[in-house]
Amino acid sequence: MKHYIVPIALLACLLATSCNTNKRLYKTGVAYHQANQADHERIQELKATGKPEIWPEVFERYCSIKGRSDEMSQYPEEVKRSLNYRPLDLEEELTSSRNKAEAYLTAKAKQLLETGTPTNIKEAKKLTHQLMRVNPESSLIGEYQLMAMIRQTARLETEFEYNDRSRPLPEGIDQAVMQFDQTELSRFPIAKDNCVTAASMIVEVTDFFITPDKDETVSFKETNEGLTATVTDHTLSKSAKIKADITFIFKDKESIMGSDWNVFSIRDIEATSIFNYSYTTVEGSKAACSAQTLERLTNQPIPFPTDVSILLDAAKKLNNLIAEQLSK
């Protein structure tokens, strides 16, 4: 009889294993449907309020339902049938709730930040954390981080960098970029009370371009009562572009990015100075010219701006762009 012991023991183990597996699957199925039902009921309860602040939670709950459904979809077909699993199409609900959640979070966070009060700034940071989950690609995350930082810092320490030794910048570009006038400074919402921490702003010029002088001409003849003139229209053009990255560093125990130190950048800010000027010249008798041509002759020829002057103008425009960022 001893030769029957092993098969019976194995059969018992198999039966016990099968029983435990069925129990686990049953519990999984019950938990899956219960969790989805709870989320669905909560979503309906929130929607019934009609309040805009419900949408971040609605979106999170749709994400939870989709996550469970996606996980369940990996089970074998016979297991899914035994659990009464049905695939869920939630794309429309997810898209709609995401858009509404993002709209609420961006509007509310900006409203709170603009007040400048410590309590509202703290609440705005929490909303921006939610915005990062709803749409990690939102360009407003960095903007709100900057708004919070400026409103919490006692002073802003600035630094200019340019590291391309093969193409030196003309003298004075650093000052044109970094010097803010009193009107600009008065718009920076730097904190006035209960703040001692300084923030650092590093502006690094990464590239610059200056186009060659360009004089485009079009010539034609005009006649009047036997008189002839050759008219030449000149269009002068030249431009300069300067590009920069801005890096901000600020110590913040409640950082939006989840670190004691906020270190973030605004990249590829571009400022362009454009020179365009037109004038007309005439060879021959002006009496042969039309009234339109004679009117254009009031513009006299002028020289092209120098490379340094047009790049300095672009640097001043970059300064204005930076001031606009800091004034938000």
Side-chain angles (χ1 to χ4, degrees):
M1 295 294 291
K2 290 183 180 180
H3 58 284
Y4 291 111
I5 294 176
V6 174
I8 291 173
L10 286 174
L11 180 60
C13 288
L14 289 173
L15 289 172
T17 301
S18 176
C19 183
N20 289 335
T21 300
N22 288 335
K23 286 181 179 179
R24 285 196 300 270
L25 288 174
Y26 175 76
K27 289 181 179 179
T28 298
V30 171
Y32 170 76
H33 291 294
Q34 284 181 341
N36 281 355
Q37 182 64 27
D39 279 336
H40 176 74
E41 291 176 357
R42 177 59 177 163
I43 287 170
Q44 297 309 309
E45 177 186 340
L46 290 168
K47 287 182 176 180
T49 67
K51 297 178 179 179
E53 61 264 29
I54 60 124
W55 291 107
E57 184 179 346
V58 170
F59 172 69
E60 293 285 353
R61 288 186 178 270
Y62 274 128
C63 286
S64 296
I65 295 174
K66 184 179 186 303
R68 286 191 291 268
S69 179
D70 289 347
E71 184 177 350
M72 191 70 72
S73 69
Q74 304 302 313
Y75 282 32
E77 289 300 323
E78 62 273 15
V79 173
K80 289 189 287 187
R81 284 195 296 270
S82 69
L83 298 178
N84 195 27
Y85 167 78
R86 297 288 185 275
L88 301 174
D89 183 6
L90 297 173
E91 289 307 314
E92 184 176 345
E93 289 85 352
L94 279 167
T95 300
S96 176
S97 60
R98 178 188 288 111
N99 291 340
K100 291 176 180 178
E102 184 173 1
Y104 165 73
L105 291 169
T106 54
K108 187 64 177 179
K110 185 176 182 181
Q111 179 187 36
L112 292 169
L113 286 168
E114 286 176 342
T115 67
T117 66
T119 300
N120 284 350
I121 291 174
K122 185 175 182 179
E123 182 62 25
K125 288 181 179 181
K126 293 179 181 178
L127 295 181
T128 307
H129 274 297
Q130 289 182 276
L131 177 60
M132 292 172 67
R133 295 196 297 270
V134 171
N135 181 11
E137 303 301 320
S138 172
S139 61
L140 292 175
I141 294 171
E143 180 177 322
Y144 290 171
Q145 187 181 17
L146 176 58
M147 289 176 70
M149 183 203 73
I150 291 294
R151 285 159 175 77
Q152 289 180 292
T153 187
R155 63 187 183 280
L156 184 64
E157 299 172 351
T158 61
E159 182 179 342
F160 179 88
E161 286 187 2
Y162 178 70
N163 299 313
D164 189 350
R165 295 184 179 180
S166 64
R167 300 176 65 216
L169 280 171
E171 186 177 351
I173 296 295
D174 55 342
Q175 295 179 351
V177 171
M178 301 302 290
Q179 286 186 349
F180 302 99
D181 62 33
Q182 291 302 314
T183 301
E184 289 172 333
L185 290 172
S186 67
R187 295 201 307 266
F188 297 168
I190 294 175
K192 301 294 190 299
D193 301 321
N194 301 321
C195 291
V196 294
T197 305
S200 296
M201 179 182 73
I202 303 168
V203 178
E204 180 185 2
V205 170
T206 56
D207 209 347
F208 67 92
F209 312 89
I210 303 171
T211 64
D213 299 352
K214 189 174 185 180
D215 182 357
E216 295 181 299
T217 61
V218 176
S219 296
F220 54 93
K221 291 186 180 297
E222 290 188 345
T223 60
N224 183 27
E225 297 181 353
L227 300 174
T228 302
T230 300
V231 179
T232 302
D233 288 334
H234 296 257
T235 301
L236 309 183
S237 62
K238 184 175 185 173
S239 65
K241 178 183 292 185
I242 189 166
K243 297 176 64 175
D245 294 340
I246 307 178
T247 300
F248 296 94
I249 305 172
F250 176 68
K251 189 170 180 60
D252 183 2
K253 294 180 180 178
E254 297 173 341
S255 167
I256 288 174
M257 306 304 289
S259 169
D260 279 352
W261 284 92
N262 276 340
V263 180
F264 62 99
S265 297
I266 302 174
R267 299 194 177 278
D268 295 329
I269 294 180
E270 293 185 2
T272 304
S273 178
I274 299 174
F275 168 77
N276 275 315
Y277 185 77
S278 298
Y279 68 94
T280 299
T281 58
V282 172
E283 292 182 4
S285 175
K286 291 184 180 180
C289 297
S290 65
Q292 293 87 348
T293 296
L294 292 174
E295 183 178 356
R296 292 201 301 273
L297 289 175
T298 58
N299 282 359
Q300 298 299 309
I302 62 173
F304 284 92
T306 66
D307 288 358
V308 172
S309 66
I310 197 168
L311 189 61
L312 274 171
D313 188 62
K316 292 174 184 176
K317 293 181 184 297
L318 180 62
N319 170 274
N320 293 337
L321 291 177
I322 295 170
E324 288 176 10
Q325 290 285 342
L326 297 175
S327 301
K328 289 181 178 179

